[in-house]
Amino acid sequence: MLESIFGIPIKYEIWNKKISMPLYIAGSYDFRTAYISDKRCIMMKPKEELVTLPALKKQIVKIQEVDRVPIVLELRAVSSYRRKSLIENNIPFITEKQVFLPFIGTMLTDEKEPEKRTEKFVFSTQQLFLLYLYSKKKRLYISEAAKKLPFTAMTLTRAVKQLEDTDLFLVTKDGVNKVIESKYGRSEVFEKTKQCLSTPVRKAGYIDKLQVTSDMVYAGETALIVGV
């Protein structure tokens, strides 16, 4: 793609300094050296989810302590949210449709992200979602959730994936730890997610409002939102 856009030759080689990297970095990316025209840089492609921006910046510093050249992220695609963060922090990246190489050139387009299907949460996803809401934390570590929820690692992985598929959550990595973070405030993400939630109520009855007392407790979706 770079050759077709900028019309300059690109040569790739093995990056032979990977052995000098900490294991958590060396094991998280595929590295290679790239010569773009006469500019040498390191291309690094995440093997799994990309880590958080603060963690990524620290990793880049570590890499550039070993090899002082520009670091370029190779990504399959990038959301507008992440693209903005990378550009604001001057972190070069390329995708199948976009290029941000401050030391050479830039071509940015609006990538059409895959449409997210709206479906009811399975039980484990709903439990993870509610744990996130009630935790009052901006970011929830899955390792922390695993200690509080009675699910296997595989079940939690599927729950995280279903949350990510709503396009309401960011799923990143902080070192080896997977993290979920809502793109919206708690009340807003609850409203946007209500259609995915299943109520635990199986039967409902009705009484006159005058019969409601302070001893009665909320139920259904009202009970879910009270703690948000």
Side-chain angles (χ1 to χ4, degrees), residues 3-221:
E3 291 187 64
S4 63
I5 292 175
F6 296 115
I8 51 180
I10 301 171
K11 178 184 175 183
Y12 295 102
E13 292 180 355
I14 295 173
W15 188 55
N16 57 12
K17 297 184 180 181
K18 183 176 177 178
I19 194 172
S20 302
M21 289 289 96
L23 287 177
Y24 73 91
I25 296 179
S28 298
Y29 302 91
D30 289 323
F31 293 92
R32 55 179 175 166
T33 298
Y35 293 88
I36 306 175
S37 186
D38 61 346
K39 190 73 174 181
R40 189 171 79 86
C41 59
I42 298 170
M43 313 290 285
M44 69 179 202
K45 184 177 182 180
K47 292 182 178 179
E48 297 181 9
E49 293 91 351
L50 190 63
V51 296
T52 61
L53 183 64
L56 177 62
K57 292 167 70 174
K58 291 178 182 177
Q59 291 179 359
I60 290 175
V61 169
K62 283 283 186 184
I63 296 169
Q64 290 183 321
E65 288 175 357
V66 174
D67 199 344
R68 292 186 176 279
V69 295
I71 309 297
V72 181
L73 281 173
E74 286 189 87
L75 305 171
R76 186 182 63 82
V78 64
S79 67
S80 57
Y81 178 92
R82 174 156 283 167
R83 180 179 70 179
K84 183 174 182 289
S85 296
L86 292 174
I87 293 174
E88 287 178 347
N89 287 274
N90 204 39
I91 298 176
F93 66 87
I94 63 170
T95 74
E96 295 176 358
K97 297 182 179 180
Q98 303 194 71
V99 177
F100 175 63
L101 301 175
F103 52 92
I104 291 180
T106 297
M107 189 195 82
L108 301 175
T109 61
D110 289 326
E111 290 189 85
K112 186 177 180 181
E113 298 180 58
E115 291 186 9
K116 305 295 183 178
R117 290 182 299 138
T118 300
E119 56 185 14
K120 288 288 186 181
F121 286 162
V122 298
F123 179 71
S124 56
T125 305
Q126 183 153 318
Q127 292 299 300
L128 180 60
F129 173 69
L130 293 176
L131 178 64
Y132 175 83
L133 288 186
Y134 294 142
S135 71
K136 302 297 184 182
K137 297 177 181 178
K138 182 174 176 58
R139 303 168 68 225
L140 176 66
Y141 285 77
I142 301 307
S143 56
E144 177 184 340
K147 296 176 182 178
K148 298 181 179 180
L149 298 176
F151 305 126
T152 64
M154 183 177 293
T155 298
L156 270 180
T157 297
R158 290 171 179 165
V160 170
K161 181 65 168 63
Q162 192 177 21
L163 281 184
E164 185 178 27
D165 285 346
T166 65
D167 204 26
L168 301 175
F169 285 83
L170 293 173
V171 179
T172 56
K173 292 187 76 175
D174 185 356
V176 297
N177 298 307
K178 189 171 289 188
V179 184
I180 59 173
E181 176 182 347
S182 173
K183 296 180 181 179
Y184 306 92
R186 276 173 165 68
S187 295
E188 187 175 0
V189 77
F190 177 82
E191 289 299 323
K192 291 177 178 292
T193 313
K194 280 172 65 173
Q195 60 188 327
C196 301
L197 300 176
S198 299
T199 175
V201 176
R202 292 294 175 262
K203 293 182 179 180
Y206 301 89
I207 62 173
D208 190 284
K209 286 185 178 181
L210 296 177
Q211 294 178 277
V212 175
T213 69
S214 59
D215 296 328
M216 295 179 179
V217 296
Y218 290 113
E221 291 179 349

